[in-house]
Amino acid sequence: MYDCGKIAIIGGGSWATAIAKIVVGHTHHIGWYMRRDDRIEDFKRLEHNPAYLTSVRFNIDEIFFSSDLNKIVEQYDTLVFVTPSPYLKNHLKKLKTRIRDKFIITAIKGIVPDENLVCSEYFHQVYDVSYDNLACIGGPSHAEEVALERLSYLTIGCANIEKAKAFTEVLASNVIKTKTSSDVIGIEYASVLKNVYSIAAGICSGLNYGDNFQSVLMSNAVQEMSRFLQSVHPIERNIIDSVYLGDLLVTGYSNFSRNRTFGTMIGKGYSVKSAQIEMEMIAEGYFGTKCMKEINRHMHVNMPILDAVYNILYERISPQIEIKLLTDSFR
């Protein structure tokens, strides 16, 4: 059985905090990279993350904090990246330590902007990490519910199933059910697309479309997702599995979904900038929409929901007009 060794969390947001809580509960020691020293000091003093999931308590003695990414990479074997995708490149620019021999796990549900690569592809192409050393965490997993210890199901994707199984052992508990998959690329693209579709669901909610239409939107979204995944990575997969459809549904319907919240504000008439300022949190789907649109210019997959969200967010077309055109294409 593969041994994940010493595990470190890279990132300081709500999902990073939730994953850290799960991992340290099993291992009783983690490294934790956070960019800001003042945030680390507040965390140590308060014994909880001062900015995210503040009700989740930690035993500080079980955590080695550092704002030095190289120090963390040098000392730990498994690195769980949980930073917003737009900031991943800037964090990694600080690296002077080689990571190709580390077990890299990405819990980032986004695409690396400018590169238009999902995170595993980025680590492979830029940092020469083999696919056997790359994994992802997928599935319906709002950080708030994981932190509240509500029953959640996570899928660990990795080309090396033995390594995937080893990390499931780190996460599994009576409230976290885990399974493995080899479909890393499919899981990562699905996690990007579900954020785009969640924005669409929010826009429709802001425009006062009802539950009947939302269900039609989600059923069309999963078909659109399936078409793209089969084009970009044509393998046999069950699109109704929880890591695909389940993640789409929870992100599209849940009040915890920041992408749905962002979309609702757009549907109610907020500008993109004003919605981003008021949320004070990153809606990954905003960046993912542009990246997916650029990727699909080469793929030529029929993706009317993606096109509609892109037109609203980036071409400033009226949500009322764009969604009306979208509804006419549904059956």
Side-chain angles (χ1 to χ4, degrees), residues 13-32:
S14 55
W15 189 213
T17 303
I19 292 175
K21 185 64 176 177
I22 299 170
V23 174
V24 79
H26 284 257
T27 64
H28 301 290
H29 176 80
I30 57 171
W32 199 339

Side-chain angles (χ1 to χ4, degrees), residues 78-125:
T78 295
L79 309 174
V80 185
F81 282 83
V82 208
T83 63
S85 59
Y87 303 150
L88 179 62
K89 284 175 69 174
N90 283 336
H91 286 300
L92 291 173
K93 282 179 182 176
K94 304 170 187 174
L95 267 183
K96 298 181 178 65
T97 306
R98 194 172 73 172
I99 63 171
R100 64 184 300 244
D101 298 322
K102 304 291 182 176
F103 186 26
I104 306 294
I105 300 172
T106 171
I108 302 171
K109 299 191 173 185
I111 285 184
V112 182
D114 302 323
E115 306 295 333
N116 289 341
L117 296 169
V118 290
C119 295
S120 65
E121 292 177 316
Y122 184 72
F123 279 113
H124 177 69
Q125 293 186 21

Side-chain angles (χ1 to χ4, degrees), residues 308-327:
V309 175
Y310 178 84
N311 288 340
I312 292 167
L313 299 182
Y314 289 94
E315 300 293 344
R316 299 185 180 181
I317 295 177
S318 161
Q320 290 88 345
I321 293 172
E322 194 62 40
I323 296 301
K324 177 61 171 63
L325 293 172
L326 184 64
T327 64

